[in-house]
Amino acid sequence: MMPAEAILRLEVLPASRLSCLAGDGQGSVLGGACFSHPALTLDAGTLPLLAVDMRLPAGEEAICEVWHCAEPLASGRHGPIRYRQGDTLLYGCLSLDEATLQDARSPLQATTEAAYLAIFELLEARGFHTVLRIWNYFPAINRESHTMERYRQFNIGRQDAFLAHGRSVIDKVPAACALGSAGGGLHIAFLATRADVVGVENPRQLSAYHYPSQYGPRSPTFARAGLVKLGGRDMLFISGTASIVGHQTLHHGDVAAQTRECLHNIAAIVAEANRQAPGAEFRLDQLAYTVYVRHAENLAAARHEMAQFIGAPVSVVFLQADVCRADLLVEIEASGGHAIGPSQANRSTGSTPCPTPVA
Ligand code: 3EB
């Protein structure tokens, strides 16, 4: 007998194979994000698929991270958000141009606040109380404008939206990442759930929501990781993780040492998750990773350190992106406990032909 499909599965595939998803049963696709430079023009129909303008390692094809869900799914729209949901999971995404408004807020701050307000409105309307994981991308993340670094403007807009919806900004906050894209507007994707989510913090790091004001007037609103039980399985979503101990950046200018520090931090989060979910037994080599490296010339060093530390993880994607502090050269996110890879049906029959690329 075939084992039951996991309720949630991550499939990493080249964008040229996106059209295969129809054969795979587009029905199982919850949503996803594609990375390429320039951004793809996706004809995704009703699927919430984000097209992010982000550089890849030299010679690599545009790549998509696609989430599949075994629940019966339905798609919808809410304002700028495209979403798809089952009984316990909802994935949504939106892309907004930075609007110039006639008020004191910077365009990025105002656009971020509007995006998060729309997300919370949708989630309240659909009865999904908890954001499990949220991915944020916008250009020139370290550039100064309106007297402030853009990442800090983003943090104000994000926190104001949490507060406007009566949401806590110090715990029960989502796992997240915030990366600099190569162009375009503000792109956000999110995975929400009706299940209970436990926030996991890293004993080696001050919680980001308690960062002191030297990093900006508002602390970033995210947890180091989120732990959830779905379909009887413990799943772990680890936020973007950098070479930060306490609240300080370590190893300025040394990408290899920064990569190792990221991985020590991820190992600490995994140990903490295993303590909070006895029986889960998350393992570093069983996680799916995305590694964001600021400078193309540092990709090889980051790859080498990953291989030294983890061996051969089940999945790893490398992308080139700016990270949210100017002195950070690399950031690594990971998730596990869900299935990783192509569907079991595809595994047993070999790869499905898919002659017509969507892009
Ligand atoms: C850090 O630990 C590095 O603002 O959502 C990592 C993950 C970082 C998420 C966010 C920022 C965010 O502060 C930066």
Side-chain angles (χ1 to χ4, degrees):
M1 201 181 94
M2 287 252 296
E5 288 276 336
I7 190 169
L8 189 63
R9 173 167 58 88
L10 174 65
E11 181 175 17
V12 176
L13 74 172
S16 58
R17 289 188 61 84
L18 258 188
S19 59
C20 299
L21 295 178
D24 176 48
Q26 163 173 317
S28 83
V29 175
L30 190 58
C34 296
F35 302 91
S36 62
H37 181 67
L40 295 173
T41 309
L42 291 172
D43 176 17
T46 64
L47 291 180
L49 279 178
L50 210 54
V52 180
D53 184 351
M54 195 172 276
R55 291 187 174 84
L56 299 133
E60 286 190 15
E61 251 194 279
I63 198 146
C64 303
E65 297 180 336
V66 175
W67 293 95
H68 296 261
C69 180
E71 298 177 326
L73 300 174
S75 300
R77 279 201 81 116
H78 177 90
I81 304 172
R82 276 174 297 143
Y83 68 91
R84 196 158 160 82
Q85 69 165 97
D87 281 341
T88 57
L89 288 163
L90 182 152
Y91 182 100
C93 67
L94 71 168
S95 303
L96 294 177
D97 290 330
E98 289 178 34
T100 311
L101 293 144
Q102 304 306 314
D103 64 30
R105 297 173 301 165
S106 75
L108 178 59
Q109 179 189 331
T111 306
T112 303
E113 187 175 341
Y116 274 78
L117 291 175
I119 292 167
F120 294 147
E121 247 174 48
L122 163 70
L123 295 182
E124 281 156 30
R126 306 304 307 173
F128 283 79
H129 48 92
T130 311
V131 180
L132 175 56
R133 177 67 163 94
I134 188 157
W135 293 263
N136 303 284
Y137 309 97
F138 55 91
I141 191 167
N142 302 126
R143 188 195 296 156
E144 188 102 357
S145 83
H146 302 76
T147 74
M148 205 186 290
E149 185 190 34
R150 279 164 53 80
Y151 174 59
R152 299 176 181 207
Q153 301 170 25
F154 165 84
N155 274 317
I156 303 174
R158 173 169 58 178
Q159 193 183 89
D160 277 341
F162 274 78
L163 294 171
H165 277 256
R167 290 178 177 250
S168 169
V169 295
I170 55 162
D171 51 29
K172 295 192 176 254
V173 290
C177 59
L179 283 308
S181 57
L186 171 67
H187 298 284
I188 301 179
F190 57 96
L191 186 58
T193 182
R194 289 183 171 134
D196 292 323
V197 178
V198 176
V200 179
E201 292 301 304
N202 177 355
R204 304 178 83 235
Q205 296 184 307
L206 183 66
S207 293
Y209 46 75
H210 290 319
Y211 279 170
S213 59
Q214 72 194 84
Y215 302 103
R218 302 289 188 84
S219 304
T221 307
F222 72 95
R224 295 301 179 189
L227 190 55
V228 67
K229 202 177 212 96
L230 295 170
R233 288 217 224 174
D234 290 300
M235 301 187 191
L236 179 64
F237 293 84
I238 301 178
S239 293
T241 302
S243 178
I244 295 172
V245 174
H247 58 75
Q248 273 157 340
T249 299
L250 295 191
H251 319 298
H252 289 83
D254 183 344
V255 74
Q258 286 204 10
T259 305
R260 290 192 294 272
E261 204 67 63
C262 293
L263 294 168
H264 281 298
N265 278 327
I266 287 177
I269 294 166
V270 167
E272 193 59 21
N274 284 334
R275 200 181 60 73
Q276 291 186 35
E281 294 176 355
F282 296 110
R283 282 176 38 178
L284 287 179
D285 61 353
Q286 296 297 313
L287 303 181
Y289 294 85
T290 304
V291 182
Y292 302 92
V293 179
R294 183 185 291 274
H295 302 298
E297 62 271 25
N298 287 340
L299 277 159
R303 239 188 246 281
H304 177 78
E305 295 302 329
M306 270 298 282
Q308 288 287 307
F309 203 102
I310 316 265
V314 287
S315 173
V316 55
V317 171
F318 286 87
L319 295 167
Q320 191 202 335
D322 290 341
V323 184
C324 64
R325 286 183 192 178
D327 53 14
L328 292 173
L329 299 173
V330 55
E331 184 171 298
I332 306 178
E333 61 191 38
S335 64
H338 50 75
I340 298 168
S343 75
Q344 307 211 339
N346 278 0
R347 249 176 244 161
S348 53
T349 58
S351 61
T352 337
C354 51
T356 41
V358 174

